[in-house]
Each structure stands twice: as structure tokens, then as C-alpha cells.
Amino acid sequence: MASFPSPGRPASRRRDERGVAFPSPLVMLSVLAVAMASITFVATRDQAPTERRVDTATIASADQSPSAEPSQTVAETPSPEPKPKPKPQVKRGEVYVEVYNNSGIRGLAAETAAKATGVGWAVVGEDNWQGLIPTSTVYFPPRLKAAGKQLALDLGIKRTAPAVGVMKRDRLTIILTADAPR
């Protein structure tokens, strides 16, 4: 006959009264682990520790003092030094340049374009620029980064930046402000 909980007593209370029974493999494993730890402790308690203290000052002085033992020197074969990568040569005449004036200085773009042409750059246009530019800048597309840096050096412009917005991706763009070198 099955026993059902009485209407006034909840079923969960009956489970609480029984307690928790651990499975026998878990109990056996725990007893075995404690026994192994005890045996290891008793067997190793009289032995000296195997760790050693390493003093870095002693090691450093040992490295600097000559050793009493003869050492064999291995003939060093000279290793070839890696050749530095040659910097790409910028061919000024093959790179197009546009010059824009973003200052109130009349003729600044034409003056800078003439200066760039005189150094060997292929200036293909000059005009006025509408917008806010913090300082005179040479803008370059990714493949012309080295050329952009060289153009900035040639003209004395301190700032270079990647091309943005409506700038053409096949040429360098110079936008001049009132701080442009003259």
C-alpha cells in the first residue's frame, strides 16, 4: 500500500527527513585519497627539501668572473647581415598632384603649384577648397604614402594624412591654410 502525504503536511518535508545518501564509489574514492595523502606525508617528512634558492646576484657575479674550467671556443662563422630593404624611390614626375587653397591668401595655390612643379612633381590642377582644415596638409591614397611624405618634405609642409571624402585616389592632394610655407 502506497503512502500519500496527508493533506496538512507537504510532500517535501518527507524528503528532508530521509537525509542524503552518498554513492558508495564516491565514499571509497575519498577514503582512498585521504589514505594516499597520509602515506605520502609520513614517507617524505624526514627528507630534505629538493628546492634550492637561486640568488640572481650570485649568478651575475659568476658570469663575470673567469671560470677555472677550460672552455672550448667554437669558431664563429660570420653570419651574413640582412640587407636593408631599399626604400621605394619616388618618381616625382609620375605622381599627379592637385593643390587647393583654403586660406584667404590670393594666389597661394598657384605659388605652391609652381614650387612643386619646379621640384619635379606633376601638378595637374589648382583651385580653392571649401571646408575646415586645421593646418596645411598633404593627403595621400594608401599606395602613394611614400610619395605624400616626400612631397611634404619638398614643400616644407609638416602634416600628412590619408585621403578622405571626395579626394581622388590616384593622386596627392595638397590643401593649404594660412600657415603654408611660402
Side-chain angles (χ1 to χ4, degrees):
M1 181 171 193
S3 114
F4 294 103
S6 61
R9 209 158 103 179
S12 63
R13 187 168 178 194
R14 267 191 115 183
R15 283 188 221 141
D16 290 341
E17 291 174 1
R18 284 195 242 167
V20 177
F22 290 107
S24 60
L26 181 62
V27 172
M28 293 303 288
L29 186 61
S30 299
V31 169
L32 185 62
V34 170
M36 292 294 288
S38 299
I39 293 170
T40 304
F41 175 73
V42 170
T44 60
R45 72 177 169 185
D46 293 331
Q47 291 180 356
T50 57
E51 297 102 15
R52 290 185 215 151
R53 181 179 173 161
V54 177
D55 189 12
T56 56
T58 307
I59 293 172
S61 65
D63 288 344
Q64 293 174 356
S65 65
S67 66
E69 299 175 15
S71 62
Q72 295 180 352
T73 57
V74 177
E76 293 182 25
T77 58
S79 60
E81 294 196 20
K83 295 179 183 176
K85 274 175 92 174
K87 290 191 174 185
Q89 295 295 324
V90 177
K91 297 179 181 174
R92 291 177 176 93
E94 296 178 7
V95 179
Y96 296 137
V97 178
E98 290 183 339
V99 183
Y100 294 94
N101 187 353
N102 192 38
S103 72
I105 303 169
R106 204 182 261 273
L108 183 60
E111 183 180 318
T112 304
K115 190 175 176 183
T117 303
V119 183
W121 293 96
V123 178
V124 294
E126 53 191 73
D127 202 352
N128 291 324
W129 185 267
Q130 300 298 321
L132 296 174
I133 304 297
T135 185
S136 295
T137 307
V138 175
Y139 292 93
F140 56 85
R143 69 179 185 82
L144 293 176
K145 183 176 183 177
K149 302 271 184 194
Q150 185 62 52
L151 178 60
L153 284 172
D154 289 348
L155 299 178
I157 297 173
K158 294 179 176 50
R159 181 173 183 246
T160 60
V164 295
V166 296
M167 295 177 188
K168 296 178 181 165
R169 304 294 187 227
D170 66 339
R171 62 194 66 195
L172 301 174
T173 304
I174 303 172
I175 300 179
L176 302 166
T177 60
D179 71 340
R182 298 185 90 187

